[in-house]
Amino acid sequence: MHVEVVSPESITYSGEASMVVCRTVGGGDIAFLSGHVPDARGRILQILRHQNRNTKVIHGDDSELFAVHQGFVQTAGEKITILSDVSEAKSTIDIERAQSAKSKAEAAISLDDDDEAAHAALERAETRLRVAGVEPT
């Protein structure tokens, strides 16, 4: 099946895959397997969970992880499209920048626990760190 991971800035991934796994609102993780995707009449459109841990694209023995922040996953035949506000491949995540963003967000939250923008920034930074293989502390 063909998979695209897309954000307003770029196409983060475009290629073939045997399976895609992502986390949706109210449904937990959802997996799409090649040959088991609904046909064009049975399209699926799901909202991605805001605090998405990662999206995994598996092709053969290899897999790629992506930090995906909000958006949708949709199917159309053998095509899976992940449309997100921001998407980053594991290999492109700047760990120091993510750790700095996490610290700044935590500082803002310590001053105002109702700061929704700071909570969202903290979730994005923690997602980036998890996808990069660094467990946030």
Side-chain angles (χ1 to χ4, degrees), residues 36-114:
H36 297 277
V37 179
D39 63 20
R41 294 179 310 274
R43 292 180 183 214
I44 293 175
L45 177 65
Q46 290 281 319
I47 299 170
L48 294 173
R49 186 172 167 196
H50 175 68
Q51 185 181 344
N52 196 17
R53 292 192 179 269
N54 64 49
T55 293
K56 182 185 281 190
V57 176
I58 300 167
H59 39 91
D61 293 335
D62 296 324
S63 66
E64 295 187 51
L65 292 178
F66 299 90
V68 176
H69 311 283
Q70 294 188 311
F72 302 88
V73 59
Q74 70 176 15
T75 66
E78 281 286 310
K79 182 176 182 182
I80 307 291
T81 305
I82 296 168
L83 307 159
S84 65
D85 293 346
V86 177
S87 63
E88 301 165 278
K90 177 181 179 176
S91 62
T92 65
I93 294 173
D94 182 334
I95 294 171
E96 288 181 23
R97 184 172 166 240
Q99 288 172 327
S100 175
K102 181 179 178 290
S103 296
K104 288 178 186 175
E106 289 171 335
I109 291 168
S110 72
L111 297 174
D112 179 7
D113 191 46
D114 294 328

